[in-house]
Amino acid sequence: METNEDSVPEPILRLRKTSALRMLHSFDHSGEDPTSRKRQHSETLGGEGGGAGGDEGQKGQASKMMCREGDEGGGTKVDPPARERPADENWPHRESLSFTRSLIFYGSGSVTAEHETAAKYIEEARALRKKYYGGRGVKCALTSDKKKAVSFGEGGKEKGDAPAGDGGNEDDRKPSAVEQKESSNQSTPSDAKLEYVFGSDGVVEIYDARDFRRTNNLITVPPLSSFVEDYQRLVEMASSGAMRSFSFQRLQMLTSAFKMHVTINGTAEDEAQSGLLGTDFYRTMKIDNHIHLAAAASAKQFVDFVRDKLEKEGDTVVMENGQTLKEVFDAAGLEGDHLTIDAFNVLADYSVYQRFDNFNSKYSPFRMGQMRKIFLKTNNHIDGRYFAELTKIVLARHEQGKGHCSAAEMRLSIYGMENDEWDKLSAWVLRDWQGGDFPGNMISSHNRWLVQVPRLWRVYCKKEGARSFQQMLENLFIPLFEATLHPEKHPKVAELLKHIVGFDSVDDEGCLEAPLSCCQPSAWKKEDNPAYCWQLYYLWANIDILNRVRESKGLPTLTASSLFFSNTFAFRPHAGETGETMHLAATYMLCKSINHGINLDKQVSLQYLYYLDQVGLSVSPLSNNFLFRKMHQNPFPKLFKRGLNVTLSTDDPLLFHMSDDALLEEYSVARASYDLSMTDISEIARNSVFQSGFEVHLRKEWLGEHYKKGVTHCDENKTHVPLIRAKFRAEHLALEHLMVVLLAAGKGKAVLEEMMHQFGDARNGQRSILYSNMAEVPEFPEQNQL
């Protein structure tokens, strides 16, 4: 029975037409098998449509609906949107998307020599990032495992699918002819036995076992002295008046462009989202990229868990001195009535604002260190069993998809205080726990682990027998190289590494620190905290070398589908939460993404660099609100509107959130506080997947098969981000790079002249439109300006 369209409400008709248009476009341009979406469109297009005949029927109905969108006499064909410049170099004659690529006319004097200087600084700064994070300053003479022919570009990144932990949306990095020649002359076969030496300069050295004299280090990174020089150069450029003025101007224009886009196309985005059948914000993947395991449970979950253990396991011995759980509570004068959220005193309040010491004490219920050790530590008398059971409760919520589709990247702690920390941690994660509601190990399909390294030299240096910072580095990295080169001797650590996707560096950035120097770790014995940038350099250097060794050995990720892709680690530290703003200069040089980054609003040059290279920012406004930046002062909405790669994360649900679903709470509060649309929060959720270390095949499932080509190639039926928004972001990013490249090349005058011509052509085009469509043009003010 056919439906009489006259009886169908107009909004439903629009929804059907939008869906039909999208279906036709997917046939013509997506390159994907359209049958994968057939089920979600069958109701709209009428009938189930099986096989090729069904596809043609759907395409025919879609075409008819398109005709109804045009003139009544048969309709006007609308060119489908192009996700990139077509192969024939010609853009479609007319796209169905509304363009917001704004034409900004630069008058006389608006492109100056100072702008060209700023652009040169920007290109020089970007070259420094490529030298460190991009790996162009690293020399590697290792070849890959012969199971898989891998072409290594700069940075040791594999071309093709990225492994877990790697930034899958990075450009391929091709080595120069000289580098390729050097690599071919000096490369070491993948089946060669490798050995490592922890150098006195704090960086691991890799040798062929046959190199008895240790004359040929196979992997060398830029030395500390080079890093210090480059860092200081970046700070100098970012602080220059030319770069600050130019960056401020460009960022302001990006803000204005976004405002214009949502003003003109907000309704179009809403309608496009309505046409994305079978998905919505709740069913798209959102990843909590920044969450600390010790505070992953909500306060309510934690209190309920402790109450349950006290009732059911009061006689369990939990302390080394033989005290049971009930005896610990009795000794503290605590009874069942005291087990309330308020009495636990774990929720953040005014006392933690600008006070990191008070914040850390909130991890201890009733301000008792014993309670923290019993319930929130992996190394205690009960081997961390309670902590494991509590963690499984948190993981189960993600796995069961309660409320919405989500995953997490939780942080485990390695301090570098002892040389057996990795052994103990791997035993805890991999143990088959039998107690609690969710028995089994700590591996979850909806979580990938990061390891956080607290910057606690001030504590370590006071330990008996402590010698130098070098010893901390050895405690951190020797177990990793041992497990990588000799996994049969360290099976548990080797297995744990398959489930780790990155490293974090954490602590109070506002702590006093020594000036940045070229002091070697073996010589750092004083109690002063080493400079933040100095510590990050040594973490980056050893992680980078470890990644290259793992790539050369072809060590697999945790999933069978990624069996021949190396499991490497991204460096994603805390930065820009408080303290020295120029910490963000070091992370720009060294890191894939960072956590927080809210101090970027104090340094526009770095903010613009983070935009140009789309360095990930995992921001936690609720955490910032209690610790360092009140909600209305948080730069998150400004950074988002300008197009930086920002997403939302929870940080510490135990302290900052009221509900059991902390991530959804974070999105809800941000949406209400910053007046975000559904398109906005869907884009933010999509960014969380881009920043994550989940395997490539999972990111393809959540973003689309061709996501690595760019945001316009993401499948909007998976991300719930309309193509019109993705096109806006991609075009403006490309235009900014175009502007900088031309100005840095000294083409400022040519840019200005060409813009003047383009403006004249646009003005003539507007006049032509008016006079060709109006038989008689009415008079209006300033008509002679057209």
Side-chain angles (χ1 to χ4, degrees):
M1 179 178 176
E2 294 188 2
T3 304
N4 182 4
E5 291 200 1
D6 293 337
S7 64
V8 179
E10 181 62 26
I12 302 301
L13 279 177
R14 287 201 306 269
L15 177 63
R16 290 181 176 181
K17 293 173 183 177
T18 303
S19 302
L21 279 167
R22 194 174 305 283
M23 189 65 172
L24 184 65
H25 298 164
S26 71
F27 276 99
D28 293 338
H29 289 273
S30 69
E32 298 177 3
D33 180 8
T35 59
S36 62
R37 298 183 190 166
K38 203 181 300 178
R39 194 174 304 129
Q40 67 186 34
H41 287 278
S42 61
E43 182 176 348
T44 300
L45 298 176
E48 295 181 357
D55 294 344
E56 290 300 319
Q58 290 177 355
K59 184 173 180 179
Q61 292 189 46
S63 300
K64 292 178 183 177
M65 289 189 177
M66 285 184 65
C67 290
R68 286 198 293 271
E69 282 214 330
D71 300 332
E72 293 182 3
T76 301
K77 189 176 187 305
V78 178
D79 287 330
R83 297 179 183 272
E84 62 183 6
R85 179 174 287 278
D88 62 5
E89 293 296 310
N90 293 315
W91 285 102
H93 178 66
R94 182 162 73 98
E95 290 209 50
S96 60
L97 294 182
S98 172
F99 278 88
T100 51
R101 180 185 286 186
S102 55
L103 177 66
I104 306 294
F105 175 65
Y106 286 81
S108 177
S110 58
V111 177
T112 67
E114 187 175 85
H115 288 157
E116 293 186 351
T117 298
K120 290 177 181 177
Y121 285 166
I122 289 169
E123 288 298 282
E124 185 179 345
R126 297 192 66 233
L128 291 178
R129 175 169 170 81
K130 292 172 184 176
K131 177 179 178 179
Y132 291 90
Y133 171 69
R136 291 186 179 177
V138 181
K139 294 181 180 179
C140 179
L142 295 179
T143 57
S144 65
D145 191 288
K146 58 187 177 183
K147 289 182 180 179
K148 179 178 185 291
V150 179
S151 173
F152 289 98
E154 290 106 349
K157 304 290 192 298
E158 294 177 345
K159 293 166 65 177
D161 283 357
D166 188 48
N169 57 334
E170 292 293 326
D171 295 332
D172 290 341
R173 303 173 176 89
K174 299 179 180 179
S176 66
V178 174
E179 291 169 329
Q180 289 178 331
K181 183 177 181 180
E182 289 179 352
S183 177
S184 63
N185 292 338
Q186 301 175 6
S187 61
T188 298
S190 59
D191 56 355
K193 184 177 180 181
L194 301 178
E195 294 183 356
Y196 73 93
V197 174
F198 215 105
S200 59
D201 60 351
V203 178
V204 169
E205 300 169 359
I206 302 296
Y207 296 97
D208 189 321
R210 296 166 295 186
D211 183 7
F212 299 111
R213 296 183 179 180
R214 301 291 187 262
T215 58
N216 182 28
N217 183 6
L218 300 176
I219 308 174
T220 57
V221 299
L224 175 64
S225 58
S226 177
F227 170 75
V228 171
E229 181 180 347
D230 290 337
Y231 168 76
Q232 291 172 342
R233 174 59 179 161
L234 178 56
V235 170
E236 177 186 357
M237 292 188 294
S239 303
S240 69
M243 189 169 173
R244 283 187 290 130
S245 294
F246 180 79
S247 298
F248 175 75
Q249 180 192 61
R250 302 309 305 173
L251 291 168
Q252 288 291 97
M253 291 174 66
L254 286 169
T255 302
S256 299
F258 182 80
K259 184 176 181 179
M260 182 177 68
H261 171 77
V262 296
T263 300
I264 297 173
N265 295 314
T267 302
E269 287 186 340
D270 291 342
E271 289 187 359
Q273 270 198 326
S274 298
L276 296 174
L277 304 183
T279 184
D280 56 29
F281 171 74
Y282 294 94
R283 284 183 275 188
T284 57
M285 176 55 70
K286 296 161 287 295
I287 297 178
D288 194 348
N289 304 100
H290 168 209
I291 176 171
H292 301 280
L293 179 60
S298 69
K300 182 177 182 301
Q301 287 175 324
F302 187 35
V303 171
D304 290 345
F305 180 81
V306 173
R307 183 187 295 113
D308 181 71
K309 290 302 174 186
L310 186 60
E311 292 175 357
K312 297 178 180 179
E313 298 189 27
D315 294 332
T316 299
V317 177
V318 295
M319 300 298 293
E320 289 77 1
N321 61 7
Q323 276 188 305
T324 64
L325 183 62
K326 187 176 185 305
E327 289 171 345
V328 170
F329 275 81
D330 289 343
L334 299 173
E335 301 177 355
D337 292 341
H338 291 104
L339 301 185
T340 66
I341 291 177
D342 292 336
F344 264 53
N345 195 24
V346 292
L347 286 174
D349 52 29
Y350 68 91
S351 67
V352 303
Y353 192 70
Q354 300 288 343
R355 289 291 301 275
F356 215 80
D357 53 342
N358 289 344
F359 162 73
N360 281 328
S361 68
K362 286 287 184 179
Y363 279 90
S364 301
F366 306 107
R367 297 295 177 97
M368 294 174 56
Q370 277 183 321
M371 294 295 180
R372 182 175 183 177
K373 184 175 183 180
I374 293 170
F375 291 102
L376 299 177
K377 291 291 184 180
T378 62
N379 185 23
N380 54 30
H381 186 69
I382 55 175
D383 298 327
R385 177 168 66 87
Y386 287 167
F387 194 21
E389 292 177 11
L390 179 61
T391 300
K392 295 286 285 183
I393 293 174
V394 178
L395 292 174
R397 185 172 189 89
H398 291 291
E399 294 166 353
Q400 296 167 3
K402 290 185 177 180
H404 66 118
C405 187
S406 64
E409 293 183 309
M410 297 185 187
R411 268 67 171 167
L412 297 161
S413 293
I414 288 289
Y415 299 91
M417 302 285 181
E418 307 291 343
N419 59 15
D420 62 349
E421 290 180 22
W422 281 102
D423 291 321
K424 292 178 180 178
L425 182 62
S426 60
W428 181 81
V429 172
L430 300 174
R431 180 170 175 174
D432 186 12
W433 299 98
Q434 295 301 313
D437 297 329
F438 306 98
N441 60 33
M442 308 304 296
I443 305 304
S444 169
S445 60
H446 284 61
N447 178 64
R448 296 294 177 267
W449 295 108
L450 274 84
V451 170
Q452 63 181 26
V453 182
R455 298 185 297 276
L456 294 178
W457 166 255
R458 63 186 182 276
V459 176
Y460 179 78
C461 68
K462 298 176 182 178
K463 287 175 61 69
E464 184 178 352
R467 295 189 294 273
S468 66
F469 196 88
Q470 173 91 4
Q471 190 174 15
M472 279 190 77
L473 291 173
E474 291 175 357
N475 290 340
L476 283 171
F477 287 106
I478 283 180
L480 303 184
F481 282 93
E482 282 285 335
T484 295
L485 295 174
H486 311 291
E488 70 284 354
K489 296 181 181 179
H490 311 276
K492 288 186 177 180
V493 177
E495 178 63 26
L496 174 62
L497 292 181
K498 297 178 184 178
H499 306 274
I500 293 173
V501 298
F503 283 82
D504 194 349
S505 174
V506 300
D507 199 33
D508 182 7
E509 288 183 73
C511 283
L512 288 175
E513 58 183 50
L516 179 61
S517 70
C518 293
C519 178
Q520 299 296 317
S522 56
W524 194 279
K525 301 178 180 180
K526 53 187 176 182
E527 293 187 6
D528 294 349
N529 271 333
Y532 172 92
C533 307
W534 187 89
Q535 296 189 59
L536 255 60
Y537 165 79
Y538 283 106
L539 291 176
W540 166 80
N542 287 292
I543 292 169
D544 189 275
I545 293 171
L546 179 64
N547 282 340
R548 293 168 189 274
V549 173
R550 294 181 69 80
E551 284 173 333
S552 72
K553 294 180 69 66
L555 295 178
T557 60
L558 65 159
T559 56
S561 60
S562 301
L563 191 57
F564 297 124
F565 293 100
S566 305
N567 166 217
T568 56
F569 314 111
F571 189 26
R572 296 159 52 184
H574 280 49
E577 183 181 17
T578 185
E580 172 56 54
T581 304
M582 285 303 170
H583 289 174
L584 291 159
T587 53
Y588 172 75
M589 294 167 62
L590 302 174
C591 307
K592 173 193 175 184
S593 62
I594 63 172
N595 307 300
H596 295 297
I598 55 176
N599 272 354
L600 276 177
D601 70 332
K602 298 179 180 179
Q603 225 298 330
V604 290
S605 300
L606 292 176
Q607 187 182 146
Y608 190 53
L609 288 172
Y610 272 69
Y611 166 74
L612 289 174
D613 284 302
Q614 291 292 286
V615 181
L617 305 173
S618 187
V619 186
S620 306
L622 284 175
S623 167
N624 302 149
N625 180 67
F626 283 103
L627 287 174
F628 299 109
R629 198 80 70 93
K630 291 302 179 183
M631 206 74 181
H632 67 280
Q633 299 172 330
N634 198 296
F636 176 83
K638 179 167 61 177
L639 300 176
F640 169 74
K641 291 173 183 177
R642 290 174 173 175
L644 277 80
N645 179 12
V646 294
T647 191
L648 292 168
S649 57
T650 60
D651 197 353
D652 297 288
L654 178 66
L655 282 70
F656 303 125
H657 297 79
M658 299 296 291
S659 69
D660 287 347
D661 198 327
L663 186 59
L664 192 58
E665 183 179 340
E666 196 80 45
Y667 275 88
S668 300
V669 172
R671 181 170 184 249
S673 301
Y674 304 134
D675 195 23
L676 302 175
S677 69
M678 293 305 294
T679 299
D680 294 339
I681 61 173
S682 295
E683 183 182 0
I684 293 165
R686 183 205 63 194
N687 290 347
S688 73
V689 181
F690 269 119
Q691 292 184 27
S692 78
F694 278 80
E695 294 73 43
V696 169
H697 77 277
L698 290 176
R699 280 182 275 178
K700 287 182 177 180
E701 180 181 330
W702 298 328
L703 297 175
E705 185 68 23
H706 307 291
Y707 79 92
K708 287 196 287 182
K709 292 183 179 180
V711 293
T712 61
H713 290 271
C714 289
D715 186 344
E716 52 267 34
N717 287 284
K718 296 178 181 292
T719 65
H720 207 55
V721 180
L723 183 56
I724 186 173
R725 172 62 65 87
K727 290 272 283 186
F728 167 78
R729 294 297 195 193
E731 287 178 354
H732 278 270
L733 180 59
L735 286 171
E736 291 301 314
H737 279 283
L738 175 150
M739 174 71 70
V740 171
V741 168
L742 285 172
L743 292 179
K747 305 297 183 181
K749 185 177 180 181
V751 169
L752 179 57
E753 291 179 354
E754 180 61 26
M755 284 187 170
M756 293 170 69
H757 287 300
Q758 294 287 344
F759 181 77
D761 291 343
R763 184 164 49 187
N764 291 335
Q766 292 162 355
R767 187 176 190 277
S768 176
I769 291 171
L770 174 65
Y771 284 94
S772 63
N773 285 279
M774 299 289 293
E776 184 176 347
V777 178
E779 293 185 1
F780 51 81
E782 305 295 352
Q783 189 171 342
N784 60 353
Q785 294 298 312
L786 293 177

